[in-house]
Amino acid sequence: MAKKAAKAKKGARIVPLGDKVVLKREVAESTTAGGIVLPDSAQDKPQRGEVVAVGDGHVKSDGTKLPLTVKEGDRVIFSPYGGDEIKIGGEEYLLLRESDILATY
């Protein structure tokens, strides 16, 4: 069963394999609640994002595939140190395993 690939700018396609998920990270807050503007170096990277593409699923030892529980468009919270940041077509994405996703909201 072929998965639909997420399209990045300039026609690039992202097709995660296996139990991998591609996320678009939310934008970091640039001001505090009190109105203080934060420089880029002081901003924390958000641990939230939107699922852009999902892989086929996890293959068990007996050869059967378990489908992933997240789907494209889901908003998720993920582990702060999980995954790899990738840049495709000028856009930044996060590629991680489904097990690094902590919750959906």
Side-chain angles (χ1 to χ4, degrees):
M1 178 169 134
K3 285 288 184 178
K4 187 173 134 182
K7 288 192 177 186
K9 287 185 178 179
K10 300 180 186 175
R13 292 172 29 118
I14 303 170
V15 182
L17 302 176
D19 65 341
K20 302 291 192 294
V21 177
V22 178
L23 299 176
K24 178 81 173 154
R25 191 186 297 258
E26 285 186 2
V27 179
E29 294 292 327
S30 59
T31 58
T32 64
I36 299 172
V37 177
L38 296 171
D40 288 341
S41 60
Q43 293 177 3
D44 290 331
K45 290 186 179 181
Q47 296 176 13
R48 291 185 262 178
E50 183 177 344
V51 176
V52 176
V54 296
D56 291 337
H58 178 72
V59 179
K60 293 174 32 175
S61 60
D62 64 358
T64 59
K65 280 193 180 184
L66 290 174
L68 301 181
T69 56
V70 295
K71 59 186 181 304
E72 292 179 21
D74 283 353
R75 294 173 46 165
V76 297
I77 300 171
F78 52 89
S79 175
Y81 302 108
D84 297 308
E85 293 181 356
I86 56 175
K87 191 171 186 177
I88 297 177
E91 293 284 323
E92 290 189 16
Y93 298 97
L94 189 64
L95 178 65
L96 53 99
R97 293 182 176 274
E98 186 188 35
S99 61
D100 291 332
I101 295 175
L102 306 174
T104 61
Y105 67 101

